[in-house]
Amino acid sequence: MSLDITRLIAFSGLSATQVQISVTSSNISNADTTGYTTKTANQTSSVTNGVGTGVTVTGITSTVDKLLLKSLIGATSELGAADTSNTYLTSLQKLYGSTSTSDSSSTGTSLANTLADLESALSSLASTPSSASLQSNAVSALNDVVSQLRETSSGIQKLRSNADKDIASSVDDVNKDLQQIANVNAEIKQVAASGQSTADLEDQRNTALQDVASKMNVSYFTASNGDLQVYTTSGQALVDSSAHTISYTTAANVSSSTSFGAISVNGVDITSQITSGDIGALVTLRDKTLPAAQSQLDQLAQQFTSALNSASNSASSVPPPTSLTGTTAVASTDALSATGTVHIAATDQSGNLVSYADLDLSSYATVGDLVTAINGISGLSASVDSNGHLTISATGSGNGVAINEMTSSVGSSGEGLSDYFGLNDIVTGTSAADIAVKSSFLSGSSELPLATLDSSSTLTVGSRVLSSGSATVVNNLYDTLTGSRSFASAGGLAESTGSFADYAATIVSDVASKASQASSAYTAKETAQSTYADSLSSQSGVNLDEESARLSTLQNKYSAASALIQAINTMYSALLNAVQSG
């Protein structure tokens, strides 16, 4: 072998080793870089006229198991969904307060405990119904219950609003990642055309793909031209020859009745195609999980309102209010489907009868007919106000209005007259969002209706027909609160029977169960994703021990190649000296 060929081999080895050292050093320095994979400088032997002339570096590549990467992408989507669900359901559970772990209701802050406090307040009031302080305590305990219902409802809608905003934020993140993938696709083609390595760019692209997957489940493949193409699970293109922007606009305000817009690409609604990842979980939480919780809360609030108002409408306060205004919206022309009789009376502040009448409700075809009949009672007037509410007022100075529902039955549910129109409601609202204690009770301008208008068939003007201090109405309120009643299926809960505290405890338990399941799911998905990530890292990630050992070997090879070149140079010098001296 000639010295020229020997030197050529030495120089090619030196050059190849120099490239390998550079690649190995880069591997070591990027060992902790997210998404970085081990790079290898591939080399091949050079042969000229059948004679080996050294080695040539043919390219720098990384080896990534495509099936393992696909498994990691899927696991990343599932983890993104599980993480988001766990976070939101933990927050939802906190809205409901903690459950008492002892016999003392004061040790818990859940709805069940607050209802137990109301039961206790009514029980105390029953022993001394005329006590102003005990009445105030009962009103305060009642207000605590409805306030907690409102606050919990508001919290649920706040979580829905947050989920809606988080969807928009995640969509923005996905759009940035999709654009990055499209940009890197173009860069990879340019770099490949110039004969340079695209391995680092492929790492960047895979990292962006994993970030997309954490936000939404996608399908993908690498096209023959080297482009990474990304699609929704139903085939809507997200990245092909370019990135397609996902569009979403958040709702201005969020309530239980809010309808949300679509997540779309090129005008196509893809909301239903996103079933996993952060966005998939947020859509499920916003549109299913949280509305289900709201539905359960509304069932409790509506039943609570109906039951307490049914009890309070059979009673009157002493002194009686100068006017009663209903809460049910009606019109004078509405048909009045009613039977039975009702006492309607005007009394003075002490509860002494001023005037009254027994009305046979089957005699009146419309609400207007009833209004006319009440106007025919001396000392009373009635009308349907501008809000569509029946109002009955005492016309005499200092007098008030009292009603005994007697045998009255109005509407399909057969409610008493006062209950049907909501004339003596103590709780207002139609859902957990707007439930409230009647403002006059909170301000102290009205007393709780704890007396009952005398039900005798004949009443005498001047006689006492309203007496305060009776425990009958209080006991009725207590029995209504603690007795067993039926609750319709709501938010995934089946039909059930029990007290209000029982149903509240069921709601709290259901939310706690969902939060626990979400936590367990998160742990399982985190483990699965971590397993795939570790496997991929083991297969294509940087092993510092191996790279350090390789670097040491390469440095020795570089030194050997350098020494060989020095030896060849020495031989050349000796040969030249010999020729010159000859």
Side-chain angles (χ1 to χ4, degrees):
M1 181 183 297
S2 70
L3 287 178
D4 285 337
I5 293 177
T6 302
R7 185 166 62 174
L8 184 61
I9 293 173
F11 270 113
S12 69
L14 185 68
S15 177
T17 302
Q18 190 173 27
V19 172
Q20 290 175 326
I21 288 174
S22 176
V23 170
T24 302
S25 298
S26 178
N27 287 339
I28 293 173
S29 62
N30 284 286
D32 294 326
T33 301
T34 302
Y36 184 85
T37 57
T38 301
K39 306 301 183 297
T40 301
N42 302 310
Q43 67 180 37
T44 185
S45 300
S46 298
V47 178
T48 302
N49 297 323
V51 178
T53 55
V55 293
T56 301
V57 174
T58 58
I60 300 171
T61 61
S62 61
T63 303
V64 177
D65 188 316
K66 293 181 179 179
L67 291 178
L68 196 55
L69 177 62
K70 190 170 287 290
S71 296
L72 176 60
I73 293 296
T76 299
S77 288
E78 293 178 1
L79 177 59
D83 187 14
T84 298
S85 295
N86 182 46
T87 299
Y88 269 79
L89 285 170
T90 297
S91 297
L92 178 64
Q93 184 181 17
K94 290 179 180 178
L95 292 178
Y96 287 76
S98 61
T99 304
S100 172
T101 55
S102 70
D103 293 335
S104 171
S105 62
S106 63
T107 62
T109 59
S110 75
L111 275 168
N113 296 115
T114 310
L115 281 162
D117 289 341
L118 175 58
E119 293 173 7
S120 178
L122 288 175
S123 178
S124 298
L125 180 60
S127 63
T128 315
S130 59
S131 170
S133 62
L134 291 178
Q135 285 191 32
S136 177
N137 288 343
V139 170
S140 178
L142 175 59
N143 189 51
D144 288 343
V145 172
V146 300
S147 293
Q148 188 166 6
L149 284 167
R150 280 199 316 275
E151 290 164 4
T152 305
S153 174
S154 176
I156 290 173
Q157 297 311 315
K158 177 64 175 176
L159 285 175
R160 294 185 74 211
S161 177
N162 289 345
D164 191 48
K165 293 174 182 176
D166 285 346
I167 288 172
S169 176
S170 291
V171 165
D172 288 343
D173 290 341
V174 169
N175 282 330
K176 292 175 183 176
D177 287 324
L178 295 178
Q179 188 59 58
Q180 182 182 6
I181 290 172
N183 292 342
V184 174
N185 278 342
E187 192 173 355
I188 284 176
K189 284 187 285 190
Q190 291 177 352
V191 171
S194 66
Q196 299 179 55
S197 171
T198 62
D200 285 337
L201 291 172
E202 291 171 18
D203 285 349
Q204 294 176 27
R205 194 170 62 178
N206 287 340
T207 298
L209 177 62
Q210 290 181 57
D211 197 48
V212 169
S214 71
K215 302 295 190 297
M216 59 182 287
N217 49 315
V218 294
S219 61
Y220 67 93
F221 69 93
T222 303
S224 58
N225 64 356
D227 280 351
L228 177 66
Q229 300 194 354
V230 185
Y231 297 84
T232 66
T233 53
S234 295
Q236 188 66 36
L238 300 175
V239 179
D240 43 26
S241 59
S242 62
H244 297 269
T245 301
I246 302 176
S247 300
Y248 183 70
T249 302
T250 58
N253 296 292
V254 176
S255 68
S256 59
S257 60
T258 298
S259 295
F260 298 94
I263 303 171
S264 61
V265 174
N266 298 329
V268 178
D269 184 350
I270 63 168
T271 309
S272 62
Q273 299 178 40
I274 306 174
T275 58
S276 189
D278 175 57
I279 297 174
L282 289 168
V283 170
T284 298
L285 286 161
R286 184 196 65 184
D287 298 347
K288 295 180 179 179
T289 308
L290 294 172
Q294 182 68 54
S295 178
Q296 294 172 3
L297 209 63
D298 286 343
Q299 172 73 190
L300 176 60
Q302 290 159 3
Q303 290 268 26
F304 183 78
T305 299
S306 175
L308 289 190
N309 286 342
S310 179
S312 67
N313 272 284
S314 66
S316 176
S317 59
V318 180
T322 57
S323 67
L324 299 174
T325 299
T327 58
T328 303
V330 294
S332 295
T333 55
D334 288 348
L336 183 69
S337 176
T339 59
T341 60
V342 61
H343 270 348
I344 302 181
T347 78
D348 63 19
Q349 294 295 294
S350 298
N352 298 315
L353 184 65
V354 174
S355 62
Y356 85 103
D358 283 333
L359 302 182
D360 179 2
L361 299 182
S362 62
S363 303
Y364 314 120
T366 66
V367 172
D369 293 339
L370 175 64
V371 169
T372 299
I374 297 173
N375 280 322
I377 303 174
S378 175
L380 295 175
S381 67
S383 64
V384 175
D385 67 18
S386 59
N387 294 317
H389 298 145
L390 175 64
T391 298
I392 304 174
S393 302
T395 57
S397 177
N399 292 340
V401 185
I403 298 175
N404 187 313
E405 294 184 308
M406 304 295 282
T407 61
S408 60
S409 176
V410 186
S412 59
S413 299
E415 299 165 289
L417 178 82
S418 183
D419 191 20
Y420 178 81
F421 287 101
L423 294 167
N424 267 305
D425 286 352
I426 59 175
V427 180
T428 62
T430 59
S431 67
D434 60 359
I435 188 172
V437 177
K438 194 172 182 179
S439 59
S440 60
F441 298 132
L442 294 176
S443 66
S445 59
S446 296
E447 293 189 11
L448 285 173
L450 300 181
T452 304
L453 177 64
D454 192 327
S455 61
S456 301
S457 57
T458 302
L459 302 179
T460 303
V461 172
S463 64
R464 179 67 65 84
V465 292
L466 280 176
S467 298
S468 60
S470 171
T472 302
V473 177
V474 181
N475 286 329
N476 189 16
L477 287 168
Y478 180 83
D479 292 341
T480 296
L481 190 65
T482 60
S484 182
R485 62 188 300 107
S486 297
F487 295 91
S489 59
L493 292 178
E495 295 180 9
S496 62
T497 57
S499 68
F500 285 105
D502 291 336
Y503 187 70
T506 299
I507 291 175
V508 174
S509 176
D510 182 58
V511 171
S513 176
K514 289 176 180 175
S516 177
Q517 291 171 9
S519 177
S520 297
Y522 170 71
T523 300
K525 298 302 181 184
E526 185 181 37
T527 299
Q529 195 271 351
S530 178
T531 298
Y532 285 120
D534 289 345
S535 296
L536 189 62
S537 177
S538 176
Q539 183 267 333
S540 59
V542 176
N543 184 313
L544 283 175
D545 291 338
E546 291 180 359
E547 294 301 306
S548 296
R550 182 177 292 112
L551 182 61
S552 178
T553 299
L554 290 170
Q555 287 172 337
N556 290 335
K557 288 175 64 177
Y558 187 88
S559 297
S562 297
L564 178 58
I565 291 172
Q566 288 178 347
I568 292 171
N569 287 337
T570 300
M571 293 174 67
Y572 261 116
S573 296
L575 181 59
L576 287 173
N577 289 332
V579 171
Q580 290 172 354
S581 62

